[in-house]
Amino acid sequence: MLNVAVLISGAGSNLRAFLEATDDPDFPARVVVVGADRDAEGLDHADHFEVPSFSVPYANFPTREAWGAELAEQLRVWNPDLIVLSGLMRLLPDNVVTEFAPRIINTHPAYLPEFPGAHGVRDALAAGATQTGASVIQVDGGVDTGPILAQERVAVEPGDTEETLHARIKPVERRLLIDVVRRIATGALVLD
Ligand code: GAR
């Protein structure tokens, strides 16, 4: 059984779908803890599934590294085999990446390397793209620059807003994430 820690910042709708998938006893991974960089609404999903959670509010720390040191401390308690960034809207500092890489993966609402960063959906629309996508990547020290583990195209429809397009991308992200974690858990995909 692969023990997974999930980190979020917001509503956690992808986290919710991941918790539903991992709740199946036949799924080869389980969520051991959910963490957040603020008092995130999505932590309620962890409560619902009786999964422990913690928050390390970024605003309480003088530097990104100090925040990262506390985040790493919290994660260490759960000894995760894998860390999933599922809407964590903050770049992990080097001290965290160095400690846990290559066992950190991230979901992103664009077809990387297109439209990296915090506004992948908005940026695709602003660029007039006719297609964008969803990606699951391994996390390195950069902004969405790590090796791509899975990705799929999603068409931009005429009249799409950031909300409508993001709502069509998220189910694809969820499917890709669940598949990547299953492959890691079964040894079909090796992170190195
Ligand atoms: C997801 O689309 C995730 O890929 C994105 O935030 C959303 C979180 O939604 N992450 C990034 O853009 C990271 N650069 P959720 O809180 O409803 O799961």
Side-chain angles (χ1 to χ4, degrees), residues 10-15 86-89 106-109 117-120 144 166 170 173-174:
S13 66
N14 287 358
L15 161 69
S86 182
L88 181 76
M89 301 308 286
N106 183 31
T107 66
H108 185 73
H119 305 291
D144 300 323
H166 206 164
K170 280 185 177 184
E173 283 187 73
R174 292 167 193 158

Side-chain angles (χ1 to χ4, degrees), residues 1 18-30 49 182:
M1 184 64 74
F18 188 66
L19 285 165
E20 282 166 4
T22 54
D23 204 37
D24 178 346
D26 290 336
F27 195 84
R30 62 175 175 177
F49 283 84
R182 186 197 305 276

